Amino acid sequence: MPDTFGSSSSSSSVGTFDTFDADVIVVGSGFGGAVAAARLAQAGSTVIVLERGRRWGPGDFPRDPRLAAGWLWRIGQGLYDIRWLKGMLAVQVAGWGGGSLAYANVFARPFDAAFSERWPAHLRRAGLDPYYDLAAHMLDVSPAGDDPRTGEPTPRTVLVEQLMALRGRPDATVRPNLAVTFGDPEVWRANRHGVPRRGCSFVGECVLGCNQGAKNSLDVTYLAVAEAHGARSVTDAEVTAVTPTASGFVVTARTPSDPSVDPREWRAPRVVLAAGAVATTELLLRSRDVTGTLPHLSPLLGHSFSGNGDFLTLAELREERGDMTTGPTITSTTILDVPEGRGSVWYQVQDGAFPVALQELFGAIVPGRQVRRWWRRRFAGPDPRRMFTVLAMGHDSGEGTLRLDRSGKAVLSWRNRWQTHLIRSQRRVGPLLASLLDARLYNPVTWSLLRRTTTVHPLGGVPPGPDAATGVVDEVGEVHGYPGLFVVDGSVLPASTGVNPSATILAAAEQSLEAIIRRDGRPHWRAPE
């Protein structure tokens, strides 16, 4: 049930309310919020989902680099919200479906042996595997097939698989499961949730939003289930405060596209925060340290922040090896164990399409004269069909701390010393890949000029623990000291996953929502699927 702004009571006082707008208010519609909305609605709760961004459908996603308003959140509430956290650049997405609208679709289960001691038992593979299965079913994941135009794998897939075969390690590369519909790109068919989808057209634009209608994003899976069971969606609602009352919570939001209706308020006995690692942590920090509406939050709030060990490079082939821009964004995952010092560093490497539209966008929007010169010097001349990205993920220190600056925005204090071996090994692999691929490799501008990493997978900031002295939330995500307030998104993961984390966020959310519903007097409740 879509709604632009939603309805709210005219009263703004804080006290005991006899009536509520819903049983549960969910803040955010990404990987955690979508699960919360679907499962709570299926369990019979009335649910309102507040999302700051708009709805995006096939054909709505921007492609013209000259129209920045469609691309950037800070210019016309566009798709991408790029946050400079001082210690790191974080790339986020705003819209109904959250990060799933423009992620690379990879559904990856982490290697349990690679988890640090920070991961509690309930978040390890033995505890989460049934929920990984459930999430995989909901997203209908499968490995990338052949390009329907050629009947063959993409040139990038062939290139990487041949490279590892030449090294005698063919088993180190796999084609990962993707949340994408494959098949006839011209025929629309209803998915298992009743939403029309058609086959991937292999244009390599997954991270720009899928105008083809092939991405199995949250808006056409979990959120479609939520709305089918009566959940009410409210877009253009950016939550600014959560205030406890004697009987529940008041959630306050602003509406960026229409300030005349600010602020809006909704009331519910329960609230689920799922705005993403940066935004959820920022909202809670502001509630504790600025507005004082949640003064008793744990002193560990903001701690254990991780960039998931992300390190991004660009590869430019010296020779024509086929069109590197085709296919889904990511088609292969390669596991590497690289000697470093007296030990070794483990991480995964993925190929990534670098679509022409994105190359043109970067050329148009990169800020500052020095940065523009850097970009044009490297990328003004190359054939875009020879370029692709190389995304490495490992285990960073997870010792970042988010705090608020004077303007109330989150900034990051980051200790990189622990992950020196990780970054050094990734940089060592670069020349090796360049030689084997016969390619030039370029580090991103944030690293080349500023020595700051970029993450598309921010995690942590709301660490779990049995009490407020050891964590912000308990094992199901309920905030210590504030019964009825839950956090269910990437902020509660205690450290890096070492792989694409969306599947783990989904699985952890599935586990949490099952436990929350069972706590509410339904001890045997399970998701209908």
Side-chain angles (χ1 to χ4, degrees):
M1 299 173 62
D3 188 337
T4 304
F5 302 119
S7 63
S8 63
S9 169
S10 59
S11 172
S12 60
S13 61
V14 176
T16 302
F17 299 105
D18 296 324
T19 59
F20 295 104
D21 296 294
D23 297 326
V24 186
I25 294 171
V26 178
V27 179
S29 62
F31 292 102
V35 174
R39 299 314 179 202
L40 290 167
Q42 286 176 320
S45 296
T46 56
V47 178
I48 293 176
V49 185
L50 304 182
E51 166 57 51
R52 63 173 177 158
R54 69 182 81 168
R55 287 179 180 258
W56 300 85
D60 292 340
F61 294 100
R63 290 297 184 267
D64 189 341
R66 297 169 296 179
L67 303 177
W71 294 94
L72 300 177
W73 176 254
R74 62 182 175 83
I75 305 177
Q77 285 75 55
L79 183 64
Y80 296 104
D81 183 12
I82 301 173
R83 295 289 304 272
W84 177 241
L85 304 176
K86 292 191 176 179
M88 178 182 287
L89 191 74
V91 181
Q92 306 166 113
V93 173
W96 181 247
S100 75
L101 296 173
Y103 79 139
N105 317 303
V106 175
F107 190 95
R109 307 182 191 218
F111 298 93
D112 199 65
F115 277 154
S116 73
E117 68 283 353
R118 298 187 215 182
W119 287 83
H122 73 282
L123 290 178
R124 291 180 176 270
R125 286 289 299 272
L128 285 187
D129 265 346
Y131 304 100
Y132 281 116
D133 292 342
L134 178 56
H137 169 83
M138 293 293 293
L139 299 187
D140 196 15
V141 302
S142 63
D146 293 337
D147 189 332
R149 299 168 296 184
T150 65
E152 298 177 350
T154 71
R156 275 183 294 117
T157 311
V158 173
L159 183 68
V160 174
E161 290 178 346
Q162 288 179 347
L163 166 64
M164 296 311 296
L166 288 172
R167 294 190 65 199
R169 295 282 309 282
D171 58 340
T173 294
V174 298
R175 299 184 187 182
N177 282 321
L178 304 176
V180 174
T181 297
F182 295 104
D184 192 330
E186 302 299 329
V187 177
W188 291 92
R189 295 186 177 88
N191 67 7
R192 61 181 39 146
H193 310 295
V195 182
R197 300 279 85 194
R198 58 179 174 173
C200 177
S201 56
F202 278 61
V203 295
E205 296 181 348
C206 309
V207 295
L208 304 182
C210 183
N211 279 331
Q212 169 72 6
K215 182 190 284 277
N216 299 338
S217 45
L218 298 170
D219 54 328
V220 299
T221 54
Y222 279 97
L223 293 171
V225 170
E227 292 188 291
H229 285 80
R232 178 173 156 209
S233 62
V234 184
T235 55
D236 192 34
E238 187 171 15
V239 172
T240 58
V242 177
T243 305
T245 70
S247 57
F249 298 89
V250 175
V251 178
T252 306
R254 59 184 291 268
T255 56
S257 66
D258 189 358
S260 66
V261 297
D262 280 348
R264 309 294 294 188
E265 288 184 350
W266 293 265
R267 301 180 178 91
R270 290 184 175 184
V271 172
V272 176
L273 299 182
V278 176
T280 291
T281 305
E282 187 175 68
L283 175 61
L284 290 173
L285 284 169
R286 195 179 299 123
S287 298
R288 186 190 66 184
D289 301 338
V290 179
T291 64
T293 58
L294 300 172
H296 305 301
L297 291 171
S298 168
L300 293 180
L301 178 62
H303 290 240
S304 300
F305 184 83
S306 166
N308 202 46
D310 286 3
F311 194 85
L312 184 70
T313 60
L314 290 173
E316 178 200 349
L317 298 176
R318 299 177 191 273
E319 297 180 355
E320 176 63 42
R321 306 280 293 270
D323 189 350
M324 297 291 123
T325 67
T326 64
T329 292
I330 288 173
T331 66
S332 69
T333 296
T334 302
I335 307 302
L336 296 179
D337 192 14
V338 180
E340 179 59 42
R342 296 182 179 179
S344 62
V345 176
W346 172 92
Y347 60 95
Q348 70 168 21
V349 175
Q350 293 174 329
D351 69 286
F354 190 30
V356 174
L358 190 58
Q359 297 180 39
E360 293 175 345
L361 173 67
F362 285 172
I365 69 169
V366 287
R369 186 178 302 174
Q370 182 184 10
V371 178
R372 280 195 295 271
R373 274 201 307 265
W374 176 91
W375 180 267
R376 290 166 184 163
R377 186 167 61 248
R378 284 164 171 77
F379 305 115
D383 181 349
R385 294 171 300 176
R386 296 185 183 183
M387 298 190 69
F388 62 96
T389 63
V390 179
L391 174 61
M393 277 170 272
H395 287 287
D396 61 22
S397 66
E399 293 185 358
T401 301
L402 289 175
R403 57 179 177 79
L404 299 180
D405 63 12
R406 293 181 179 179
S407 66
K409 295 293 185 180
V411 293
L412 176 65
S413 300
W414 188 249
R415 294 173 58 189
N416 281 326
R417 184 175 301 174
W418 185 92
Q419 62 190 40
T420 298
H421 291 307
L422 174 71
I423 295 176
R424 185 184 299 157
S425 66
Q426 289 172 342
R427 295 178 69 183
R428 286 180 57 193
V429 170
L432 172 63
L433 290 174
S435 174
L436 292 172
L437 293 169
D438 193 21
R440 297 183 183 91
L441 264 67
Y442 306 100
N443 290 327
V445 61
T446 53
W447 183 259
S448 297
L449 298 182
L450 305 174
R451 287 296 184 264
R452 295 291 186 269
T453 55
T454 298
T455 183
V456 292
H457 302 129
L459 302 172
V462 185
D467 52 47
T470 57
V472 181
V473 297
D474 67 12
E475 67 176 16
V476 304
E478 191 164 24
V479 177
H480 293 301
Y482 295 95
L485 180 62
F486 298 86
V487 179
V488 183
D489 61 14
S491 67
V492 300
L493 296 190
S496 58
T497 63
V499 299
N500 313 70
S502 60
T504 300
I505 298 171
L506 287 169
E510 288 278 19
Q511 183 188 61
S512 290
L513 266 298
E514 183 180 86
I516 290 168
I517 294 168
R518 289 181 175 185
R519 276 187 181 181
D520 199 29
R522 303 182 186 185
H524 304 296
W525 188 89
R526 297 181 67 191
E529 291 81 8

